[in-house]
Amino acid sequence: LAAPPSPPGQDPHGWRVPVDCVRANELCAAEPSCSSRYRTLRQCLAGRDRNTMLANKECQAALEVLQESPLYDCRCKRGMKKELQCLQIYWSIHLGLTEGEEFYEASPYEPVTSRLSDIFRLASMFSGMDPAANSKSNHCLDAAKACNLNDNCKRLRSGYISTCSRELSASEPCSRRKCHKALRQFFDRVPSEYTYRLLFCSCKDQACAERRRQTIVPSCSYEDKEKPNCLDLRSACRTDHLCRSRLADFHTNCQASFQTLTSCPGDNYQACLGSYTGLIGFNMTPNYIDASITSITISPWCSCKGSGNMEEECEKFLRDFTENPCLRNAIQAFGNGTDVNLSP
Amino acid sequence: LSAFGLYFPRKEYLENVYIDEPAGTPLLRIHTLRDSHGEVAHFHLCQNLIISRARSHENNWFQIREKTGLLYLSKSLDREDFNMLSVGNWMPLSKVMLYVFLSSHPFQEKECDSATRTTVFLSLMNATAPACSSLTARQLCFTEMDLSFHIKENKPPGTFHQLQLPSIHHLCQNLSISYKLLAAEGMPFRYNENTTGVSVTQRLDREERERYELIAKCTVREGFREMQVEVPFLVNVLDEDDSPPFLPNGTDTADAVVEFNRKEGTVLATLAVYDADTTPIYPLESSRKKYTGTIITDDPWMSETFRVEHIFDEIHFSPNGSQVRGTRHEYKLVLNKSISVTEHRSFLLDVLVNDTEFHGPERSVMLHFNVSILPVSIQFPNMTYQFTVNRNAERFAQIGKICIENCMKFRGVNITYKLLSPNTSCYAVSILQGREDKYGSLYVNDSSVLRRPECKEIQYTIQATDKQSRKHTKTLLTVFLEGTLLKKEEDCPDSCAVSKHHGECEECGGLGVLTGRCQWRQGSGKGITTNYSTCTPSIKTCPDGICDVIESKDPAVCPQDCTSGNIIGGHGKGIGNLGIKSGHGICYCFPRQNCYCEKDDIKEPLCDDVCKTVI
């Protein structure tokens, strides 16, 4: 049997090199057979579940053709140009195929591979600190100082802080929508060496931990009058392509694993911290629930009250934030600078 | 709810598959529980394997025994198959997913859309099957997935899990692996040592207990070596609607009085209905539909004027010590439109609450709201208004407030206040009302009139009108002018707020002053505080954190409450970004320009010896 001619975008090992979905869409549009199948598939997927769709011959054929096209494995990059457009293309195919009711969805983002360089960056950040001063210093305060010494970080940080603390009226403490947008800008555009230090600084006293908790101005961006049910919050998040993608990314990179030393998929702390940060500025915004220094507990603003028969599922969802060893290890490792000791 | 009652006691199953395991290797067993006796389960696989990232592939390797639910390898998975199924799998671990469907009758061709299904995840291990000796006791005894099950209440007993792992049993036949289920006395579960099956022995009742926590203990013997592993074994009892609604403390009646608050959306009274069943918040609308509350009336006026709002939340009941979840439903009687001040009625309004999914005679309860709508009178308190105004008062000085009886209690009643012109030329004051204000504010409109000697006592008639009913009332207002005219200081600014020091503040007047002189507010001087030092026309109204209707007429009156410009120095902004809520030290403003808050470190020069000699 002759090997099929390799489609564009394959590396010599037969593994597809991921193309971003905007580019893949252009490649597909340039090819009449691909673009017509893509249109067919999108119609097949609209409003139908996977199995009904597969029962239809025409849909099945479209799916088979598209499996060979670059559209099928396309990915998006965090903070890329046209990120939203890219994600729309991604979900237009995947929404119907992944059932939309899966507990964990695969991330539409490219895997974070630039681990080593990041570890060196972390290492350099903590080196040069005088160990004697280190024991007394407030890392969260240092992080704020470091941010203020960088023009970009300072500008975007004061941007989101003033937006998030602007009181509109007695009944409306702030514009949550604008606050979230400003937070997303900050975390998308400021290098992670600044943002991670603010978010994941390690603390030895309560004032420091309170500063850490206050990083995202939780009174506006996080807390609300009532705590919704987590499953309700998740379904609201999944109606928005960006939020859905960030949540899927969090589940992909922070899902606790039994098979690794650190409990993180591929022992990749950087990826987990990155997808945690990516959730800030959406309705699924996570934060520290208190200023405790002994135990770090993270949660989105929701509870499992009123889950009915779905309580188990709700608690499982919530535990991925509140009792997630991968996330906790990643935050602690970053704060202590211990990621450096991990063998690559 | 599915049409038939067979169901899976868990949502997901997980097993490892290795390269080149022989055809016939058993992988895992799936169990079902029944709704009624006599039902027989038939298992079926869908034709497609779902590879993560939305790929799928025809299933050539896995099959399930229709009667027993044993999933096995029908064809060995070789390296080539493995590579093919791993393409597009970016995760460190390749997983494929397949759906197992369930039916109470033998499957026809291609039935792939039954509602009852469970998901099996197969982890494709990039290696041949490991030697039994290389596996840990944990790996030999249990999969990575939690042992967590759900069993519906009120259903017949049955076997719902097998502790032994078919794949390990097949692979490691030389090992002795035995299990035990550790349960407290009297738990309705039984472990069968021969089959390693776990069954529920009786119908469960969620309202009695909704969670059972057991421990599965596994012992591995290999020669003289013995290893033990314990893992939690959890059973959640799923709820169905098997409890009728009931009234806490038997209360089914509440008084609902409409008096001063007549606004659309006002909650008049609330009655609670309890239910031992759970009600999911999500999805909210469907739960609302399941538990309805309807006003029982033929009167179109009543159905237009009132509506019932239903909210519910989770509460806990404690039958025999253990805590189970239940629901408190609250039915609120709400005004659907604003009610006129002239309306006067009393009646009983019945609301029927219906638990639509409960099958029994007591599925509904009747709630009674004892509604009294009282008329309210639009009248001034039994007196005439008298105000005294200093002849030195400036334009926009606030003289006082005009308010009909109970005006501050009103909601949904729109009263407007008007001054009817006096028949003299001494027309010095006006009345103004904010958009939501329930009172009128009297202020100096023309300060030159105050200075005229012939104007001493001015009489006005005030009229208050209810917008909706056009009802109105009148009273008399007398304004007495008093005091002697002060000589105006030269070089004084328009606005009190410009003055930065105590001395210059009280030497000058400005817009809004009551007695011709600005007033100084001495702050506490500690950090950024709401009690900052500042110069103001009247300490009572400015700065009070509210930019009121008179202050907003002119930016020079009270910029401390009303400025939207820059504030330089330590400060906090007020509501809606208006005004200075808190400031550091002394705050002063140039109207239509900036405000400044700063600590005044230079003390005002005391009168020194030279000064004394001059005096």
Side-chain angles (χ1 to χ4, degrees):
Chain A
L1 240 143
S6 54
Q10 281 200 349
D11 79 357
H13 308 290
W15 290 77
R16 257 174 231 266
V17 179
V19 180
D20 83 62
C21 298
V22 178
R23 176 82 190 117
N25 191 34
E26 286 165 5
L27 288 174
C28 182
E31 206 186 306
S33 81
C34 181
S35 67
S36 81
R37 301 295 176 156
Y38 179 38
R39 268 202 307 279
T40 310
L41 185 72
R42 285 205 328 205
Q43 277 163 9
C44 291
L45 292 171
R48 258 181 280 179
D49 94 334
R50 185 194 171 80
N51 295 315
T52 344
M53 194 208 82
L54 287 176
N56 179 314
K57 274 247 156 64
E58 209 177 327
C59 294
Q60 174 91 60
L63 188 65
E64 272 165 22
V65 171
L66 281 182
Q67 288 200 355
E68 298 306 318
S69 93
L71 265 178
Y72 223 83
D73 284 328
C74 71
R75 296 284 197 105
C76 302
K77 273 201 186 84
R78 270 270 299 281
M80 69 186 277
K81 235 167 83 183
K82 302 184 184 170
E83 181 179 347
L84 185 60
Q85 192 197 339
C86 183
L87 294 170
Q88 276 161 351
I89 296 166
Y90 177 90
W91 289 111
S92 74
I93 294 185
H94 291 254
L95 209 51
L97 294 181
T98 52
E99 292 292 331
E101 57 185 49
E102 261 177 64
F103 194 89
Y104 294 119
E105 293 181 319
S107 170
Y109 292 107
E110 274 179 25
V112 177
T113 49
S114 55
R115 263 189 65 213
L116 277 177
S117 60
D118 285 310
I119 288 170
F120 281 121
R121 206 161 62 192
L122 296 188
S124 66
M125 248 177 50
F126 288 97
S127 66
M129 278 188 182
D130 175 18
N134 208 3
S135 66
K136 275 187 190 165
S137 72
N138 178 334
H139 289 309
C140 300
L141 187 60
D142 295 340
K145 286 182 196 159
C147 177
N148 280 342
L149 291 175
N150 174 287
D151 283 345
N152 188 35
C153 187
K154 180 181 169 185
R155 187 173 54 83
L156 289 167
R157 179 164 171 264
S158 51
Y160 83 74
I161 289 176
S162 67
T163 308
C164 298
S165 32
R166 188 170 299 147
E167 202 174 0
L168 293 180
S169 67
S171 59
E172 226 182 331
C174 69
S175 162
R176 194 186 181 89
R177 194 180 52 80
K178 284 186 183 160
C179 169
H180 276 173
K181 191 177 171 197
L183 278 167
R184 291 200 298 269
Q185 271 178 358
F186 176 74
F187 288 109
D188 279 348
R189 295 188 194 164
V190 176
S192 53
E193 63 210 74
Y194 294 106
T195 57
Y196 288 10
R197 264 185 94 180
L198 284 165
L199 275 179
F200 310 122
C201 40
S202 67
C203 283
K204 293 191 185 70
D205 62 64
Q206 209 167 356
C208 170
E210 179 60 17
R211 175 180 274 276
R212 179 174 65 193
R213 192 184 74 85
Q214 292 285 352
T215 303
I216 62 166
V217 198
S219 61
C220 181
S221 69
Y222 180 64
E223 289 152 25
D224 212 338
K225 273 171 245 131
E226 278 174 34
K227 264 193 181 180
N229 182 274
C230 296
L231 297 177
D232 203 6
L233 194 68
R234 181 180 69 174
S235 82
C237 174
R238 284 186 171 180
T239 59
D240 172 73
H241 285 318
L242 265 170
C243 187
R244 181 180 206 131
S245 307
R246 300 295 173 92
L247 183 62
D249 197 51
F250 174 76
H251 280 151
T252 303
N253 291 319
C254 293
Q255 200 184 129
S257 162
F258 293 99
Q259 280 156 344
T260 57
L261 201 65
T262 59
S263 300
C264 282
D267 286 324
N268 192 342
Y269 283 153
Q270 175 82 14
C272 176
L273 296 180
S275 31
Y276 172 92
T277 313
L279 276 174
I280 295 171
F282 296 92
N283 68 359
M284 202 51 86
T285 298
N287 198 25
Y288 300 89
I289 59 159
D290 54 27
S292 161
I293 43 166
T294 47
S295 69
I296 289 178
T297 310
I298 299 280
S299 171
W301 188 256
C302 66
S303 83
C304 283
K305 230 181 140 195
S307 296
N309 279 340
M310 308 262 277
E311 191 172 51
E312 212 185 331
E313 181 167 352
C314 181
E315 274 171 359
K316 184 179 168 198
F317 177 82
L318 189 54
R319 268 201 305 273
D320 279 333
F321 291 92
T322 55
E323 290 167 37
N324 183 336
C326 163
L327 180 60
R328 196 179 315 124
N329 290 343
I331 291 176
Q332 273 166 354
F334 183 89
N336 302 334
T338 47
D339 193 21
V340 190
N341 300 332
L342 194 77
S343 57
Chain B
L1 286 169
S2 54
F4 59 94
L6 283 167
Y7 69 96
F8 293 104
R10 62 192 304 182
K11 267 189 150 170
E12 293 173 352
Y13 292 82
L14 174 73
E15 188 49 79
N16 299 332
V17 179
Y18 296 92
I19 293 173
D20 290 334
E21 279 187 290
T25 304
L27 294 174
L28 62 102
R29 253 208 83 179
I30 290 170
H31 286 83
T32 64
L33 284 167
R34 289 167 303 167
D35 193 25
S36 57
H37 287 287
E39 271 179 321
V40 182
H42 296 266
F43 297 91
H44 175 68
L45 284 183
C46 193
Q47 274 316 298
N48 280 281
L49 283 180
I50 295 157
I51 310 171
S52 58
R53 308 207 56 76
R55 266 166 190 284
S56 65
H57 194 283
E58 203 180 327
N59 172 16
N60 298 326
W61 302 274
F62 308 104
Q63 277 185 27
I64 197 163
R65 297 228 188 278
E66 184 170 342
K67 296 272 170 60
T68 59
L70 182 76
L71 188 80
Y72 63 99
L73 264 177
S74 58
K75 179 172 170 281
S76 172
L77 195 84
D78 59 26
R79 162 102 18 217
E80 215 172 293
D81 297 333
F82 174 85
N83 286 342
M84 182 174 57
L85 291 176
S86 301
V87 170
N89 239 326
W90 294 93
M91 295 298 288
L93 193 70
S94 294
K95 264 186 201 172
V96 297
M97 188 170 97
L98 39 85
Y99 294 131
V100 176
F101 291 90
L102 184 57
S103 166
S104 54
H105 55 83
F107 270 88
Q108 312 294 316
E109 263 312 288
K110 281 250 178 186
E111 253 178 303
C112 234
D113 52 357
S114 145
T116 313
R117 69 168 188 218
T118 189
T119 311
V120 174
F121 289 101
L122 297 168
S123 299
L124 303 181
M125 309 304 280
N126 191 5
T128 52
C132 293
S133 56
S134 72
L135 293 175
T136 64
R138 178 73 174 72
Q139 288 169 314
L140 289 167
C141 293
F142 306 105
T143 66
E144 268 187 16
M145 204 162 263
D146 294 336
L147 285 178
S148 171
F149 304 88
H150 47 256
I151 296 178
K152 291 185 184 174
E153 63 171 337
N154 308 326
K155 301 290 181 242
T159 303
F160 61 92
H161 184 64
Q162 176 188 302
L163 285 169
Q164 185 184 68
L165 303 175
S167 55
I168 296 289
H169 185 67
H170 182 80
L171 185 71
C172 309
Q173 286 172 6
N174 297 337
L175 291 180
S176 143
I177 304 174
S178 63
Y179 295 88
K180 259 199 179 119
L181 196 63
L182 310 179
E185 198 63 29
M187 278 203 194
F189 302 101
R190 199 179 55 216
Y191 171 65
N192 181 332
E193 259 178 59
N194 298 328
T195 61
T196 76
V198 183
S199 49
V200 55
T201 56
Q202 64 187 59
R203 285 174 188 256
L204 302 180
D205 180 6
R206 193 204 63 87
E207 284 73 36
E208 283 285 316
R209 181 164 180 174
E210 58 179 347
R211 201 174 157 82
Y212 294 91
E213 294 174 8
L214 297 83
I215 289 169
K217 182 175 172 183
C218 171
T219 309
V220 180
R221 273 188 209 89
E222 188 184 12
F224 296 109
R225 235 153 57 93
E226 189 182 286
M227 294 173 288
Q228 288 190 335
V229 191
E230 288 182 6
V231 296
F233 186 103
L234 304 174
V235 177
N236 286 295
V237 184
L238 293 190
D239 191 27
E240 64 171 18
D241 195 342
D242 57 350
S243 315
F246 67 95
L247 295 160
N249 312 323
T251 312
D252 66 349
T253 308
D255 288 333
V257 181
V258 181
E259 197 176 4
F260 300 114
N261 193 346
R262 313 174 82 89
K263 195 184 168 127
E264 188 265 315
T266 302
V267 176
L268 300 175
T270 304
L271 280 169
V273 175
Y274 284 14
D275 193 315
D277 292 320
T278 61
T279 313
I281 294 183
Y282 162 76
L284 184 63
E285 279 316 304
S286 71
S287 292
R288 283 241 174 84
K289 276 181 205 145
K290 279 178 207 154
Y291 230 92
T292 58
T294 326
I295 295 176
I296 306 296
T297 179
D298 295 330
D299 183 346
W301 181 84
M302 282 195 198
S303 42
E304 268 169 40
T305 311
F306 300 97
R307 65 173 188 261
V308 170
E309 280 180 6
H310 172 207
I311 59 163
F312 55 88
D313 62 351
E314 193 175 285
I315 52 169
H316 289 101
F317 293 109
S318 307
N320 57 53
S322 75
Q323 214 182 39
V324 297
R325 296 169 299 149
T327 311
R328 170 177 50 218
H329 297 270
E330 282 185 328
Y331 289 90
K332 295 172 187 289
L333 187 68
V334 178
L335 281 184
N336 204 28
K337 58 178 193 191
S338 295
I339 293 185
S340 160
V341 290
T342 54
E343 199 71 65
H344 187 193
R345 313 189 187 204
S346 294
F347 48 87
L348 205 63
L349 195 71
D350 289 342
V351 170
L352 181 71
V353 169
N354 203 347
D355 180 358
T356 58
E357 287 193 349
F358 178 71
H359 301 286
E362 323 93 327
R363 63 194 294 185
S364 41
V365 289
M366 189 69 87
L367 305 176
H368 312 283
F369 290 101
N370 204 350
V371 183
S372 322
I373 302 178
L374 307 174
V376 287
S377 50
I378 305 291
Q379 62 184 44
F380 283 105
N382 206 5
M383 55 140 182
T384 56
Y385 282 97
Q386 296 189 335
F387 291 106
T388 309
V389 179
N390 190 293
R391 284 187 187 273
N392 298 297
E394 289 286 348
R395 193 164 145 84
F396 302 123
Q398 298 197 26
I399 301 163
K401 284 177 180 162
I402 307 292
C403 171
I404 59 165
E405 248 178 15
N406 299 308
C407 80
M408 295 311 280
K409 292 187 196 161
F410 281 130
R411 284 192 66 228
V413 182
N414 233 333
I415 304 288
T416 45
Y417 297 89
K418 207 164 80 179
L419 284 184
L420 304 181
S421 314
N423 40 13
T424 73
S425 57
C426 300
Y427 190 36
V429 301
S430 285
I431 201 162
L432 261 183
Q433 202 176 350
R435 218 155 49 85
E436 295 274 300
D437 282 350
K438 298 157 175 143
Y439 55 86
S441 297
L442 210 59
Y443 71 101
V444 174
N445 191 30
D446 187 350
S447 54
S448 67
V449 175
L450 300 178
R451 325 272 193 259
R452 292 196 338 234
E454 74 272 20
C455 298
K456 285 179 182 139
E457 182 184 316
I458 319 162
Q459 289 228 332
Y460 294 85
T461 304
I462 317 170
Q463 180 176 288
T465 313
D466 169 45
K467 212 174 177 183
Q468 201 190 358
S469 66
R470 309 305 308 163
K471 279 201 140 213
H472 56 263
T473 179
K474 288 178 186 171
T475 190
L476 280 180
L477 160 72
T478 315
V479 175
F480 300 103
L481 304 185
E482 59 151 38
T484 47
L485 281 175
L486 298 171
K487 190 173 160 282
K488 271 213 169 181
E489 293 284 329
E490 283 176 26
D491 301 331
C492 271
D494 256 8
S495 171
C496 294
V498 174
S499 298
K500 217 182 134 177
H501 299 291
H502 193 155
E504 62 182 276
C505 173
E506 291 181 344
E507 278 166 16
C508 279
L511 278 185
V513 297
L514 289 163
T515 57
R517 292 284 181 261
C518 298
Q519 299 178 343
W520 179 258
R521 184 176 85 170
Q522 184 61 45
S524 59
K526 278 181 191 158
I528 295 176
T529 163
T530 51
N531 186 20
Y532 53 86
S533 299
T534 196
C535 184
T536 157
S538 163
I539 289 175
K540 265 190 193 164
T541 52
C542 172
D544 60 355
I546 302 156
C547 183
D548 63 45
V549 59
I550 293 162
E551 287 166 356
S552 62
K553 290 280 276 185
D554 190 311
V557 178
C558 181
Q560 294 98 319
D561 280 341
C562 298
T563 183
S564 56
N566 289 329
I567 302 163
I568 291 134
H571 73 277
K573 284 193 176 177
I575 289 166
N577 249 6
L578 286 185
I580 309 168
K581 188 179 175 186
S582 50
H584 182 226
I586 299 165
C587 295
Y588 58 99
C589 296
F590 298 99
R592 292 180 198 86
Q593 294 171 41
N594 294 337
C595 289
Y596 300 85
C597 291
E598 60 194 27
K599 198 84 186 164
D600 189 20
D601 290 329
I602 311 144
K603 293 270 177 294
E604 284 183 66
L606 294 167
C607 200
D608 56 13
D609 288 342
V610 183
C611 152
K612 279 175 186 161
T613 49
V614 170
I615 291 168

